[in-house]
Amino acid sequence: DTPPSHNLEMKHLAGADPELVLLSHRYEELERIPLSDMTREEINHLVQDLGFYRKETPDAPVPEEFQFAPARPLPTLPPRHGKPPPERAEGEHPDL
């Protein structure tokens, strides 16, 4: 086994092909990477290449600059061409 990585959670789903699901800080799916044809070593390299911080021990502190790693910038949305923003229910947060 390898040391745990910060912001990486593994879930075993019986009958499902293994894949790495990358989420935004808002838990929006950004990308799915199939892992079926990869070795453990290749997966470990992938996780490292993606910028996950590898901790020495499960309870080791994570440096501040890696707290949100491997966060990617949010996708840039195309301009709305003068359309008004969608209406929200009263009191609804703009990010919801």
Side-chain angles (χ1 to χ4, degrees), residues 12-86:
H12 294 277
L13 301 175
D17 288 334
E19 59 186 357
L20 178 63
V21 181
L22 301 176
L23 304 174
S24 74
H25 69 286
R26 293 181 180 156
Y27 298 98
E28 297 164 330
E29 185 176 313
L30 298 174
E31 185 176 354
R32 285 182 179 258
I33 302 170
L35 303 176
S36 304
D37 297 331
M38 298 176 77
T39 66
R40 178 182 289 242
E41 184 175 316
E42 290 171 326
I43 293 169
N44 287 334
H45 284 288
L46 171 65
V47 168
Q48 187 174 11
D49 290 346
L50 288 171
F52 285 91
Y53 179 79
R54 183 160 291 170
K55 302 191 293 185
E56 296 295 322
T57 63
D59 58 344
V62 176
E64 179 131 359
E65 65 269 22
F66 292 103
Q67 286 296 315
F68 297 103
R72 295 181 176 183
L74 292 174
T76 305
L77 299 175
R80 295 183 56 88
H81 300 293
K83 293 181 184 176

